[in-house]
């Protein structure tokens, strides 16, 4: 199973905000350049309000929430499916990067350390430095990523999709050998139309928008159930 | 469903560590008294090594991981079950406090803000101040809590329990009107013997120890499935 967190709210501080007093102060505390810091609404809210008034192509409501990716990775990488090497986790960012995460990666449990890792990643393109990086970042759109991966089926979860419980979608996902599931990595608003067009199926599994890490946990668990992984892991210690 | 994160790695900095240089420096940065700060291995690791060498009743490996509770609450409070008012989430701490969290609480998505909230909670016993607090803390052991709640069935998940998939335990949990599930809120080691004794059933759902937030998400989802909540929520928008 390939699970992609798409249009995730991760980007560096955009140039128009690097001079904002709250950003400059935050950068000084972190002893980093403002332009190398990851935009984070919980620290840069006042600066982001300024952006909200300007005309930008991407709505501000989808930006500055790297914590969503953090929780998504904690939900995915600790799963039995990942421990069995049966899960590929990828993060596509709103600024059109793709982050590849090795299945053996132990994401820092501390949020600030995770952000530090992301900042290092944007700087150095792979971490840790050396021949066997655990995380890499490169430029790619979501459609570019799908062209590369060539999944046998692409399923998108969105509140705008066809209502269907996850239990009902699960046999469909398990029926194909290389399924790819897209979950939104942003807090509000919806996928871009161009992302939706890539889907074979778009499903809505709840009447409310659910947190990305909750959807990810459930998709993974349903997939494990459908391949009888829980039984198999208990039988072979 | 009542879900209790038990023996969670939350406590204030113990007196023997308040003078440690790393703790004093951290407290100064936060502009707080060392004794009012929550012990956190990601900031106080060097101080904790000192405790490891002294004889204390609780093993150090179970201490200083408030992030586990953070991720547990994010997994629980955002679930459809909680939105329906059908979930009670409680946190029992290793220093024998119980934290009650109102179902409508929006936990800060930023970790440092969550820790700030915990510190305020230990100071003021309830937050926000006023007549309608969303979180309260009081002294209680886990057995004291269960005497109060009088669940109709108590299920503990532990790698030392009887191997059983969550799918197989789910009908049992759903068969009773007031089930209580205990999940460990610590990173390593096991429940105290006194906690295990409170259980009607102890189950192991995987051959490895799984993260508390992953187990919580799965228990909640299985419970939702067993009461057909996903279908019902999709049918009644």
């Amino acid at each position: 199973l390939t699970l992609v967190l798409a249009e995730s709210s991760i980007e560096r501080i955009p140039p128009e905000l690097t001079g904002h007093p709250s950003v400059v102060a935050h950068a000084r505390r972190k002893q980093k350049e403002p332009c190398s810091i990851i935009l984070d609404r919980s620290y840069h809210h006042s600066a982001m309000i300024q952006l909200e008034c300007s005309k930008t192509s991407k709505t501000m409501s989808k930006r500055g929430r790297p914590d969503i990716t953090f929780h998504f990775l904690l939900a995915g990488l600790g799963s039995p499916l990942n421990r069995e090497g049966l899960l590929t986790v990828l993060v596509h960012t709103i600024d059109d990067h793709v982050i590849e995460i090795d299945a053996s990666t132990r994401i820092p449990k501390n949020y600030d350390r995770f952000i530090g890792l992301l900042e290092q990643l944007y700087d150095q393109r792979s971490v840790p430095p050396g021949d066997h990086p655990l995380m890499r970042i490169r430029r790619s759109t979501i459609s570019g990523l799908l062209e590369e991966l060539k999944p046998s089926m692409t399923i998108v979860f969105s509140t705008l999709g066809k209502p269907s419980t996850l239990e009902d979608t699960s046999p469909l996902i398990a029926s194909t050998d290389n399924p790819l599931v897209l979950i939104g990595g942003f807090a509000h608003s919806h996928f871009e139309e161009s992302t939706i067009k890539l889907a074979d199926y778009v499903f809505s599994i709840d009447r409310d928008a659910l947190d990305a890490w909750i959807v990810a946990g459930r998709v993974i668990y349903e997939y494990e159930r459908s391949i009888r992984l829980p039984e198999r892991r208990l039988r072979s210690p």
Side-chain angles (χ1 to χ4, degrees), chain A:
Chain A
L1 179 69
T2 302
L3 198 54
V4 181
L5 194 72
E7 301 179 24
S8 310
S9 307
I10 295 178
E11 65 186 303
R12 284 173 152 183
I13 301 263
E16 56 271 41
L17 290 189
T18 50
H20 191 279
S22 74
V23 171
V24 172
H26 187 224
R28 196 176 301 129
R29 272 202 310 281
K30 290 175 68 119
Q31 301 181 298
K32 294 200 175 176
E33 291 298 316
C35 60
S36 69
I37 287 179
I38 300 291
L39 184 69
D40 191 330
R41 188 171 281 274
S42 68
Y43 298 117
H44 313 126
H45 183 68
S46 65
M48 289 178 74
I49 288 172
Q50 181 183 314
L51 260 194
E52 247 137 49
C53 307
S54 69
K55 287 179 212 304
T56 51
S57 61
K58 279 162 188 154
T59 62
M60 220 44 215
S61 63
K62 287 177 76 170
R63 297 169 71 176
R65 288 291 308 275
D67 61 292
I68 295 172
T69 298
F70 177 56
H71 297 124
F72 167 80
L73 291 176
L74 286 175
L77 296 173
S79 66
L81 192 67
N82 186 56
R83 292 177 193 204
E84 292 287 331
L86 299 173
L87 179 68
T88 302
V89 166
L90 292 161
V91 175
H92 163 260
T93 66
I94 201 158
D95 67 350
D96 277 336
H97 285 84
V98 165
I99 303 173
E100 293 169 27
I101 303 106
D102 189 89
S104 67
T105 307
R106 294 164 62 107
I107 288 292
K109 302 293 187 290
N110 178 275
Y111 179 63
D112 291 332
R113 299 233 165 116
F114 172 72
I115 295 297
L117 201 69
L118 273 187
E119 286 164 352
Q120 199 187 342
L121 196 60
Y122 267 82
D123 254 1
Q124 304 171 3
R125 317 314 281 178
S126 62
V127 291
D131 287 346
H132 303 289
L134 292 170
M135 294 171 75
R136 296 163 193 263
I137 194 169
R138 58 190 163 86
R139 289 216 146 268
S140 173
T141 61
I142 187 77
S143 65
L145 179 67
L146 264 62
E147 269 166 45
E148 246 176 75
L149 296 175
K150 299 192 185 12
S152 55
M153 184 188 291
T154 301
I155 295 106
V156 171
F157 289 109
S158 159
T159 48
L160 301 180
K162 177 170 174 273
S164 171
T165 65
L166 202 51
E167 192 176 348
D168 288 341
T169 66
S170 173
L172 180 73
I173 298 175
S175 70
T176 182
D177 53 316
N178 187 20
L180 184 144
V181 170
L182 281 184
I183 296 172
F186 43 85
H188 305 287
S189 185
H190 298 288
F191 281 115
E192 300 292 310
E193 197 47 44
S194 56
T195 303
I196 292 291
K197 279 189 183 142
L198 302 169
D200 297 309
Y201 300 93
V202 185
F203 293 121
S204 167
I205 58 168
D206 195 79
R207 65 162 183 253
D208 294 344
L210 299 179
D211 295 315
W213 56 90
I214 290 183
V215 179
R218 292 173 177 215
V219 168
I220 291 168
Y221 178 58
E222 276 286 1
Y223 191 80
E224 287 182 19
R225 274 185 61 147
S226 67
I227 62 169
R228 314 310 290 165
L229 189 65
E231 288 88 331
R232 285 196 275 139
R233 278 176 63 89
L234 284 175
R235 270 206 306 268
S236 62

